Amino acid sequence: MCEKKILIVGGVAGGATCAARLKRLSEKSHVVIFEKGEHISFANCGLPYHVGGIIRDQDNLLVSTPEEMEEKFALDIRVFNEVTSINPEKKEVEVKNLEDGSTYTEGYDYLVLSPGAEPIIPPIEGIANENVFTVRNIPDTERILDYIAKNNPKKAAVIGGGFIGIEMMENLAHIGIEVSVVDMAPQVMTFLDTDMVGQVQSEIKKHKVNLVLGDGLNKITDTGIELSSGKEIEADMIILAIGVRPDIKLAKDAGLLIGNTGAIKVDDYLQTSDPFIYAVGDAIEIKHFVDGSEAKIPLAGPANKQGRIAADNIMGRKVTYNGTQGTAIAKVFDLQVGATGLNERQLTNKGIEHKSVTIHPFSHAKYYPGASQMTLKVIFNDEGKILGAQAVGKDMVDKRIDVLATAMRFGKTVIDLQDLELVYAPPFGSAKDPVNMIGYSAQNLMEGRMSPIYIDELDDINKDDSFILDVREIYELDLGKMENATHIPLSELRESLDEIPKDKEIVVFCQIGIRGYIAEQVLRSNGYEKVKNLIGGYRSVVLNK
């Protein structure tokens, strides 16, 4: 393999992975990494936990130091060197040494762009105050920790309820700071559907966090923040976690094609519009694995894969990147919140027909100590293609989302989930795993044995034309009741059919949906033609109050 000179702009997940792979494929190639900061490979996903003292030693965030990578891979690593421009015609870049201010040019055979993304910073009054912070790199966390040490803040406002915002919220609360979370959206964690996020928001409020939704940041004041509504919130420090935008300046100035999402356009081989320039990571526009649409999904896992694939293609291996499905998880105090694929809101906006099932299984065998209940939702189309999944619970959420993400990636249908043989012993799971149960429920729905009604449809029920039937046992009524519902326990249903009208639509529910399904079958076999079972049962109603 002929010797090549490859320049890489930016380290962290995509750039550092690409560099290491290039050297493994071709020891003789000259690989240079330019990084304008001090660190080329660090765990930015761990930054909030360093602020919260969970990860105490900052060095634990360093995946690899420049010295280690130079020694291991014989790389040419230049920290505090910023690439300021690209000349595609001459195949060279201009670089500024940030330590001495000098500039120089460097030629290349191939160039890899891994500039990442930048925090969105709104141009508002007070945004440059010393108590306003972003969380994107190690220097950011150093500034936050230094401010906390010197000023002992009592209250913090976190702007944004996405991954970083929620993680910062939890970690600031962990060190005793009173936290407010503000988001313009009507909910936090917008990758979740509205019927899944209620329990997350309840968990946040349970931990004494002031949650303000549907309101935006207007300005930073001397005492805290002022919102678009005029509401004021006291805060000694403000964390901006509104989101990120791809850093496309170098690419745009060089004339490279920018996609419709505002990120660098690449093909399936991660090649830009210039055949000698590749791009990876948070700065690129990818295709969504579920529907092939253009998307921006800034996640570390995909960035690592892209770095490896770009290196393979530079070395002539012709490997395609097959899209990102957005598999992610977060810790929210005592809850685990995971998802993969598209949610119902996204699918509706795209005009993609879909249906879903929701169950409330236990994390492992209920009779074994420590079992906790989770909520698991899977979305699919008429052919059974899995379009997305979401899970919220205290334990083993990651296991179920990983299994579902794998099934999606390899084209398994929701019905195929029944056939998965998953580990079982009482401390770890159930003989019928929640993922299997999703498959059974989906089959019932797809084959017409269950007619679903979802909790967001309950408000649209015509009470004059419908009969709401609660088939829970009497002791379960202490958990709450649904307005206008008639209570007939499942155990008494067959003897009480004369109490149920046949000229109305019957909406039946139990606690989590299983007995509702049984009741639906009993009613249908006795001549009731219009019967619907509440997906997820009454527990879904309670979790979303």
Side-chain angles (χ1 to χ4, degrees), residues 8 10-19 21 42 44-45 112-117 136 270 279-284 286 297-311 321 323-327 409:
I8 300 176
V12 196
T17 298
C18 183
R21 177 67 170 170
F42 65 92
N44 49 6
C45 297
V112 180
L113 300 179
S114 179
R136 191 63 182 167
L270 301 173
V280 300
D282 295 356
I284 70 170
I286 50 87
I297 304 180
L299 292 171
N304 274 287
K305 295 178 181 68
Q306 292 156 13
R308 180 184 176 94
I309 289 171
Y321 182 70
T324 303
Q325 63 197 75
T327 306
R409 178 61 63 164

Side-chain angles (χ1 to χ4, degrees), residues 454-467:
Y454 299 94
I455 61 171
D456 59 354
E457 298 174 317
L458 291 177
D459 290 339
D460 298 328
I461 291 176
N462 186 323
K463 293 179 175 59
D464 294 329
D465 298 330
S466 301
F467 183 84

